[in-house]
Amino acid sequence: MPSKLELLPAVDVRDGQAVRLVHGESGTETSYGSPLEAALAWQRAGAEWLHLVDLDAAFGTGDNRALIAEVAGAMDIKVELSGGIRDDDTLAAALATGCTRVNLGTAALETPEWVAKVISEFGDRIAVGLDVRGTTLRGRGWTRDGGDLYETLARLDSEGCARYVVTDIAKDGTLQGPNLELLRNVCAATDRPVVASGGVSSLDDLRAIAELVPLGVEGSIVGKALYAKAFTLEEALEAVSS
Ligand SMILES: O=C(O)c1ccccc1NCC(=O)[C@H](O)[C@H](O)COP(=O)(O)O
């Protein structure tokens, strides 16, 4: 288990643009321009990871497949790819970008047999995104309920899932701080590494998440705070460097 918190700056893509949403809700987009420029800026600033999301694919409003492949292909750093990866075709396209790993969300709720199969086939190239309101999972771009967090976690653990990306939807894109209690509870329920997502607003938030590394938190996705210039990525990397 790494001793320092990994940071994953986010590039969420909607209709060809880098955007941030509030609570992951379609229609709340703030646009931040070219996804490739944003990703290259995070790379230049020293990021070791990029969290790249195809929001159209997640919402079922099309996809940005070619652009996502272009961005992933332009990166020298590790890429975690998310959004609308739900079957053999979308998984093959995602893995073919050369990304380090993919996040499955809806599929883990709706087609558990397929997810068990790809976990056994692709190992730690597969992570599962556990996107919750309270302790209820949400799928289909976070628009539909999809079962209990802890029951699903136990099932995925038994199937060998390598890693979880845990998002409190109520916090996502709000700059209200991460849900540390949720992260502690998930870490207590699994021995697999956890990537925190949603709500980071300050360097102190990142330091608080870094304190959970001994419990099993491996990384933190940071989106809105970077775009809103609450701090720079260089400052964030420095804050979690020890
Ligand atoms: O990841 C998805 O599949 C997804 C689906 C639907 C809505 C949002 C989705 N992801 C959003 C993210 O992964 C954000 O980039 C991340 O949670 C950052 O949040 P924040 O730091 O609060 O901006």
Side-chain angles (χ1 to χ4, degrees), residues 8-12 19-21 23-25 51-55 58-59 82-84 86 103 105 131 140-142 165 167 171-176 196-201 221-227:
L8 298 86
V11 175
D12 293 18
V19 300
R20 285 303 303 126
L21 308 179
H23 304 311
E25 280 170 21
H51 174 74
L52 183 58
V53 184
D54 188 340
L55 286 173
F59 289 125
S82 188
R86 296 175 190 164
N103 285 346
D131 308 313
R140 298 265 158 197
W142 303 354
V165 178
T167 306
K171 297 280 195 174
D172 199 83
T174 66
L175 296 174
Q176 285 177 0
S197 188
V200 168
S201 69
I221 293 166
V222 190
K224 185 78 167 273
L226 290 172
Y227 292 94

Side-chain angles (χ1 to χ4, degrees), residues 7-236:
L7 292 186
L8 298 86
V11 175
D12 293 18
V13 184
R14 184 109 210 238
D15 203 13
Q17 296 292 299
V19 300
R20 285 303 303 126
L21 308 179
V22 180
H23 304 311
E25 280 170 21
S26 185
T28 64
E29 288 87 348
T30 306
S31 186
Y32 295 97
S34 156
L36 181 59
E37 286 309 313
L40 288 170
W42 305 144
Q43 177 170 280
R44 276 195 303 274
E48 294 178 10
W49 277 96
L50 175 70
H51 174 74
L52 183 58
V53 184
D54 188 340
L55 286 173
D56 286 298
F59 289 125
T61 53
D63 66 69
N64 300 276
R65 202 182 268 192
L67 179 56
I68 292 281
E70 182 193 356
V71 174
M75 295 293 106
D76 300 321
I77 58 175
K78 292 171 275 193
V79 176
E80 172 178 272
L81 199 51
S82 188
I85 305 167
R86 296 175 190 164
D87 56 26
D88 287 330
D89 280 354
T90 47
L91 177 61
L95 294 176
T97 64
C99 68
T100 306
R101 65 176 181 242
V102 301
N103 285 346
L104 306 180
T106 302
L109 312 177
E110 296 186 359
T111 51
E113 306 80 12
W114 179 76
V115 170
K117 179 183 81 109
V118 298
I119 284 172
S120 73
E121 198 174 339
F122 295 104
D124 70 1
R125 290 195 80 193
I126 306 286
V128 169
L130 299 169
D131 308 313
V132 292
R133 278 198 178 272
T135 58
T136 301
L137 290 158
R138 303 278 283 175
R140 298 265 158 197
W142 303 354
T143 59
R144 278 194 223 161
D145 283 353
D148 177 71
L149 167 62
Y150 295 104
E151 283 172 19
T152 304
L153 183 59
R155 188 195 81 221
L156 289 161
D157 264 6
S158 73
E159 291 166 354
C161 185
R163 171 177 285 97
Y164 302 102
V165 178
V166 175
T167 306
D168 180 352
I169 295 168
K171 297 280 195 174
D172 199 83
T174 66
L175 296 174
Q176 285 177 0
N179 186 337
L180 300 172
E181 189 189 356
L182 172 69
L183 295 170
R184 274 192 215 97
N185 291 342
V186 171
C187 287
T190 180
D191 60 0
R192 311 299 151 78
V194 167
V195 177
S197 188
V200 168
S201 69
S202 66
L203 295 177
D204 279 345
D205 286 343
L206 290 175
R207 291 186 192 103
I209 296 172
E211 283 180 17
L212 305 183
V213 168
L215 303 185
V217 174
E218 177 184 69
S220 177
I221 293 166
V222 190
K224 185 78 167 273
L226 290 172
Y227 292 94
K229 302 194 191 313
F231 48 78
T232 66
L233 184 57
E234 290 90 336
E235 289 168 334

